[in-house]
Amino acid sequence: MTRGGTMFALLALITSPVCAATLSGVPRILDGNTIEIEQTTVRLWGIEAPETDQICLDARGRKWACGVAARDQLIKHSNGQTWACQTQRLDEYGRALGSCLIDGEDVNVWMVRSGWALSAGVTQHRYVVHELVASTNYAGLWSGAFIAPWDWRSRNRATIIIGANSVPIEAQEVLLGSIPLSEPPSPECLIKGTHRSGERIYHLPLQPGYEQINMTDKRGERWLCSEAEAQATGWRKAAR
C-alpha cells in the first residue's frame, strides 16, 4: 500500500462509525480525561483536564501539582462505581473518544463544572456553561492561576496564564521559569518522556541512562506517572 493509501486507511479508521460502542464497568483512571474500561482506552470527549505533569498556582500563589490532583479527584468521585461509556471514534493515539455516566451523572460535565477540566475542541460550546459555573465558584483549577492544558503542552515565554481571580504578577516567572520541568510534579511521576527522532520515548527509573537524561534539555519532554498513562498517550518504552 502506498503512503497515501495508508494515511487514507488510517483516517477512515479514526472517523469510522464502526468504532462506536457502549462500554460498562469499573474503570482504571489514567489521568483527568483518560480511562481504561473493558480493555478499551477511552478519552473523555470535548473536555481537557490538565496533564499529570502540569503545575498550577493556588489562591495564595503557591505551586501545586494540579494535573495529579485532577486525576485524583476523578478517582475519588468515581469511588469504585460502575461507569457506562458511549464511544464514537478513535483519536490519533487510538483512544476511543466518548462520554461516560456514573449512575446517570455525566462525568464529562462533572469534571468541567468542578473545575478540574476545561471545555475544549469542536464541542467547546457543549460544556462552556459548566466552565462558567466553575470559574464563578473558583472551583478546582479556577481557585488560582493556570495554563490551559492545550497551551501547557506547547508552552513558551508568551503563553497566557488564566484564572478566575487576578493572576499574580509573578505567575509567568513561576510557571514558565523552566519551561521543561527539571523536577517531577509528584513523587509518583518519575517516568521521563523524551523525544527521539520524532518518536515519543519513555524511560523508567531503573533503566540504563535514566539518570543521564536532563529534563530541561529541550521542549516536549515531560514527566509521566505510569506506563499505562504513557502508552495511552502515544509514548513507547525505551529499549534500554
Side-chain angles (χ1 to χ4, degrees), residues 94-118:
R95 299 174 296 185
L97 297 173
S99 55
C100 299
L101 302 176
I102 302 176
D103 195 24
E105 178 187 53
D106 189 320
V107 178
N108 302 42
V109 168
W110 183 85
M111 284 295 290
V112 176
R113 198 176 185 89
S114 300
W116 298 114
L118 301 185

Side-chain angles (χ1 to χ4, degrees), residues 29-35 42-44 47-52 66-75 83 107-108 110-112 116-117 229:
I29 297 169
L30 304 180
D31 63 27
N33 47 221
T34 311
I35 67 166
V42 176
R43 168 72 163 75
L44 298 181
I47 71 172
E48 285 261 11
E51 301 287 350
T52 51
C66 55
V68 171
R71 180 204 62 190
D72 290 349
Q73 287 296 320
L74 183 55
I75 292 172
W83 290 31
V107 178
N108 302 42
W110 183 85
M111 284 295 290
V112 176
W116 298 114
E229 176 201 355

Side-chain angles (χ1 to χ4, degrees), residues 84-132:
C85 299
Q86 185 67 46
T87 65
Q88 300 298 327
R89 59 185 179 86
L90 302 182
D91 71 2
E92 60 185 309
Y93 301 121
R95 299 174 296 185
L97 297 173
S99 55
C100 299
L101 302 176
I102 302 176
D103 195 24
E105 178 187 53
D106 189 320
V107 178
N108 302 42
V109 168
W110 183 85
M111 284 295 290
V112 176
R113 198 176 185 89
S114 300
W116 298 114
L118 301 185
S119 185
V122 295
T123 60
Q124 186 167 7
H125 64 281
R126 183 173 184 178
Y127 300 109
V128 71
V129 171
H130 305 291
E131 186 175 299
L132 179 60

Side-chain angles (χ1 to χ4, degrees), residues 2-193:
T2 65
R3 181 176 180 181
T6 301
M7 293 301 293
F8 179 82
L10 178 60
L11 181 61
L13 174 63
I14 291 173
T15 58
S16 172
V18 300
C19 298
T22 300
L23 307 171
S24 179
V26 178
R28 178 185 184 187
I29 297 169
L30 304 180
D31 63 27
N33 47 221
T34 311
I35 67 166
E36 285 182 353
I37 186 170
E38 285 194 14
Q39 299 182 327
T40 299
T41 302
V42 176
R43 168 72 163 75
L44 298 181
W45 175 67
I47 71 172
E48 285 261 11
E51 301 287 350
T52 51
D53 70 335
Q54 189 162 341
I55 299 297
C56 300
L57 299 181
D58 66 15
R60 298 175 66 179
R62 299 172 300 189
K63 291 194 296 184
W64 63 297
C66 55
V68 171
R71 180 204 62 190
D72 290 349
Q73 287 296 320
L74 183 55
I75 292 172
K76 181 180 178 181
H77 185 66
S78 176
N79 194 31
Q81 298 178 84
T82 296
W83 290 31
C85 299
Q86 185 67 46
T87 65
Q88 300 298 327
R89 59 185 179 86
L90 302 182
D91 71 2
E92 60 185 309
Y93 301 121
R95 299 174 296 185
L97 297 173
S99 55
C100 299
L101 302 176
I102 302 176
D103 195 24
E105 178 187 53
D106 189 320
V107 178
N108 302 42
V109 168
W110 183 85
M111 284 295 290
V112 176
R113 198 176 185 89
S114 300
W116 298 114
L118 301 185
S119 185
V122 295
T123 60
Q124 186 167 7
H125 64 281
R126 183 173 184 178
Y127 300 109
V128 71
V129 171
H130 305 291
E131 186 175 299
L132 179 60
V133 170
S135 63
T136 301
N137 292 331
Y138 306 116
L141 307 176
W142 296 101
S143 63
F146 63 98
I147 295 169
W150 49 86
D151 287 334
W152 175 264
R153 293 190 288 270
S154 57
R155 61 196 184 278
N156 56 51
R157 299 293 181 184
T159 297
I160 295 173
I161 297 172
I162 59 179
N165 212 332
S166 59
V167 175
I169 193 169
E170 69 276 10
Q172 283 217 328
E173 180 182 349
V174 175
L175 293 179
L176 300 171
S178 178
I179 291 174
L181 298 177
S182 59
E183 298 295 330
S186 166
E188 67 179 276
C189 304
L190 299 178
I191 299 173
K192 294 179 177 180

